[in-house]
C-alpha cells in the first residue's frame, strides 16, 4: 500500500523537482560565505574569523530586507504564468529590476552609516580595526546580488529553477579560487589578507549578475517574455505593488536575521573565543537554513500557481507537501549534525577553546533544525498567497520579544554564556514555526473552495 495517494505523490514529485535546483542554488549562496570563513579561519585566524563574521552578519542583515522583498516576485510571475499573461510577466521582470536598484541605493546608504558608527557595536579593538573595510566591500557587492536576485525571479517563477542553480555553482567555484588567490597574493595579485576574501565575493557577484542576464536574453525559453515590443509599457504600478508586498516580506527575513546578527554582537561582548565559535556554528546552521528556504521558495511558487488558478485544493496540497518535505529534510540534517559535530567544527579552526564552545552550540543548532525549517517554509507558502503583514508581526514577536531578551537573560544574568544566547534563538524559532504554520491553515479554512 502506498503511503501517499497518487495526488500527493504527483505534487511531491513536482515540488521536489522544482525545489532541488533552488536548494542547490541556495546552498551555493551560503557556501560562498562558508568558503570565505573557512579560508579566513585557516589563513588568518580567529580574530580575522570574528571580523569577517560580524561584518558578513551585519551586511547580510541589511541585505535581508532587499532579498526578502524581491522574493515575492517569483510567486507573482507564477500566478501570471497560470493566467497565461505574458505581458504581465514582462512587466513584473522589469519592475523587479527597478526595485532591486532602489534597494541597492537605500540599503547601501544604511550600510555605510553602520560602518561609520561601527564602534557602537562594542567589539574588541582588533575587530573594530579590521571589520569596517571588509564590510564596506561586502555592502558594495550587495547591489550586484540584488540585481541578480531580481533577474532570477523570472526563471524561478517560470519553474526554470535550474538556471540560478548553474550560475550559483559556477560562482561558488570562482569564489573559492578568488579567495585563495587574493588572500595570499598568488598569480601576481597583491596579498590582500582579510579584505581579499571580501573582494572575492564582490568579483563573484558581479560575474554572476552578468551571467544571469546573458542567459535570460540569449535563451529561446525566455525570449518571448523579454521581447523589445513590451519595453514601452509602464511598470511603476507593479513597482509599487512589489514594494507593498515585498517590504513586509523583507522585514520577515530582517527580524529573524537581526536576531542572529545581534546574537553575534552579544557573542562579541562575551569574548573572541565565543564570537569565533558562534560564527562556526551559525555557518553550519545557515547552510541548512538556506537549503530549507529553497523548499520555501518552491512551495511559494506552487502555491502561487494554485492562487492563479483559483484552486484552493491545490493551494492546500502544495503547502502540505512543502511542509512535509522540509520536515524530512531537516530531521536528516539534525541527525547529521549530531553525528558529525566535531568534524564540522574542525573544518574551520584548530583552536581547542573555540572548538569546545562551538561543539556545544552545534548541539543546540541540531535541535532547532526542525523549527527553523518549518518556519521558513511557512513564510514561503504564506508569501505564495500574498499574506505578508501578519507573518511580519509574528516574526517580530518571536525574535525580538522572545528570542533576544531570553538569550540575553540566560547568557548574562543566568551566566550560561554562549549557549544561553542559542537557547534563546531556539525558543524564537519554535514560536515562529508554530504560529506561522497555524496562520497558513487558518487562512486555508477561510478560503472558498472552487
Amino acid at each position: 500500500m502506498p503511503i501517499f495517494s497518487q495526488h500527493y505523490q504527483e505534487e511531491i514529485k513536482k515540488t521536489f523537482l522544482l525545489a532541488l535546483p533552488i536548494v542547490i542554488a541556495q546552498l551555493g549562496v551560503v557556501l560562498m560565505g562558508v568558503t570565505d570563513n573557512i579560508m579566513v579561519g585557516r589563513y588568518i585566524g580567529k580574530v580575522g574569523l570574528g571580523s569577517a563574521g560580524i561584518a558578513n552578519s551585519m551586511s547580510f542583515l541589511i541585505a535581508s530586507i532587499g532579498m526578502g522583498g524581491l522574493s515575492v516576485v517569483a510567486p507573482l510571475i507564477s500566478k501570471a504564468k497560470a493566467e497565461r499573461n505574458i505581458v504581465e510577466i514582462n512587466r513584473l521582470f522589469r519592475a523587479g529590476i527597478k526595485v532591486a536598484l532602489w534597494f541597492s541605493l537605500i540599503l547601501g546608504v544604511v550600510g555605510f552609516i553602520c560602518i561609520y558608527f561601527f564602534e557602537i557595536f562594542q567589539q574588541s579593538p582588533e575587530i573594530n580595526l579590521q571589520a569596517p573595510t571588509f564590510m564596506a566591500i561586502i555592502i558594495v557587492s550587495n547591489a550586484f546580488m540584488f540585481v541578480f536576485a531580481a533577474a532570477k525571479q523570472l526563471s524561478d517563477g517560470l519553474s526554470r529553477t535550474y538556471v540560478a542553480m548553474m550560475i550559483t555553482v559556477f560562482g561558488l567555484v570562482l569564489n573559492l579560487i578568488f579567495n585563495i588567490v587574493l588572500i595570499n597574493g598568488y598569480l601576481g595579485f597583491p596579498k590582500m589578507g582579510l579584505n581579499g576574501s571580501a573582494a572575492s565575493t564582490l568579483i563573484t557577484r558581479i560575474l554572476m549578475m552578468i551571467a544571469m542576464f546573458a542567459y535570460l536574453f540569449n535563451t529561446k525559453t525566455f525570449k518571448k517574455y523579454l521581447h523589445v515590443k513590451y519595453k514601452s509599457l509602464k511598470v511603476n504600478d507593479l513597482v509599487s505593488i512589489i514594494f507593498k508586498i515585498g517590504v513586509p516580506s523583507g522585514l520577515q527575513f530582517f527580524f529573524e536575521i537581526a536576531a542572529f546578527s545581534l546574537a553575534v554582537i552579544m557573542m562579541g561582548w562575551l569574548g573572541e573565543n565565543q564570537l569565533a565559535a558562534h560564527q562556526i556554528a551559525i555557518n553550519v546552521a545557515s547552510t541548512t537554513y538556506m537549503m530549507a528556504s529553497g523548499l520555501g521558495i518552491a512551495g511559494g511558487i506552487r502555491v502561487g500557481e494554485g492562487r492563479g488558478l483559483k484552486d484552493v485544493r491545490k493551494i492546500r496540497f502544495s503547502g502540505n507537501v512543502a511542509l512535509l518535505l522540509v520536515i524530512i529534510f531537516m530531521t536528516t540534517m539534525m541527525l547529521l549534525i549530531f553525528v558529525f559535530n566535531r568534524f564540522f567544527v574542525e573544518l574551520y579552526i584548530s583552536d581547542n577553546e573555540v572548538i569546545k564552545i562551538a561543539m556545544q552550540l552545534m548541539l543546540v543548532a541540531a535541535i532547532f533544525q526542525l523549527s527553523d525549517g518549518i518556519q521558513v517554509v511557512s513564510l514561503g507558502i504564506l508569501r505564495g498567497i500574498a499574506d505578508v503583514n501578519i507573518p511580519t508581526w509574528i516574526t517580530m514577536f518571536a525574535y525580538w520579544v522572545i528570542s533576544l531578551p531570553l538569550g540575553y537573560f540566560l547568557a548574562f544574568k543566568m551566566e550560561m554564556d554562549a549557549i544561553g544566547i542559542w537557547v534563546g534563538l531556539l525558543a524564537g524559532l519554535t514560536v515562529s514555526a508554530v504560529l506561522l504554520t497555524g496562520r497558513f491553515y487558518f487562512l486555508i479554512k477561510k478560503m472558498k473552495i472552487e
Side-chain angles (χ1 to χ4, degrees), residues 260-390:
F260 283 88
S261 295
L262 290 176
V264 173
I265 294 170
M266 288 193 285
M267 286 293 179
W269 298 342
L270 293 169
E272 290 176 354
N273 287 336
Q274 289 91 336
L275 182 59
H278 173 84
Q279 192 55 37
I280 292 168
I282 204 64
N283 259 211
V284 175
S286 296
T287 303
T288 58
Y289 167 83
M290 290 298 281
M291 294 169 75
S293 74
L295 287 168
I297 293 169
I301 292 169
R302 294 293 296 162
V303 167
E305 185 175 324
R307 180 169 167 246
L309 295 170
K310 296 181 173 60
D311 186 342
V312 179
R313 279 182 286 266
K314 175 173 171 47
I315 293 173
R316 183 189 293 109
F317 268 117
S318 297
N320 288 344
V321 167
L323 287 167
L324 173 65
L325 289 174
V326 83
I327 288 170
I328 294 170
F329 172 74
M330 291 305 255
T331 301
T332 305
M333 294 301 102
M334 177 176 64
L335 295 174
L336 284 175
I337 293 173
F338 273 130
V339 173
F340 295 104
N341 188 342
R342 176 175 284 274
F343 171 77
F344 288 139
V345 172
E346 290 181 345
L347 282 175
Y348 289 83
I349 205 162
S350 56
D351 187 298
N352 288 329
E353 284 298 314
V354 175
I355 289 173
K356 182 180 177 181
I357 299 169
M359 287 182 65
Q360 294 175 343
L361 301 184
M362 289 282 282
L363 294 177
V364 183
I367 295 169
F368 73 45
Q369 291 299 294
L370 204 55
S371 296
D372 204 11
I374 291 172
Q375 65 88 25
V376 74
V377 167
S378 295
L379 281 173
I381 57 181
L382 285 168
R383 203 174 294 121
I385 55 176
D387 182 53
V388 292
N389 292 322
I390 297 298

Side-chain angles (χ1 to χ4, degrees), residues 16 91 200 203 350 374:
F16 178 78
R91 294 176 68 237
S200 171
I203 295 168
S350 56
I374 291 172

Side-chain angles (χ1 to χ4, degrees), residues 178 189 321 402:
F178 289 142
F189 286 90
V321 167
I402 294 178

Side-chain angles (χ1 to χ4, degrees), residues 236-273:
N236 288 340
D237 59 324
L238 289 180
V239 169
S240 298
I241 289 172
I242 293 171
F243 270 120
K244 183 178 179 180
I245 305 174
V247 170
S249 179
L251 288 173
Q252 295 164 6
F253 281 76
F254 174 83
F255 289 135
E256 179 180 358
I257 295 166
F260 283 88
S261 295
L262 290 176
V264 173
I265 294 170
M266 288 193 285
M267 286 293 179
W269 298 342
L270 293 169
E272 290 176 354
N273 287 336

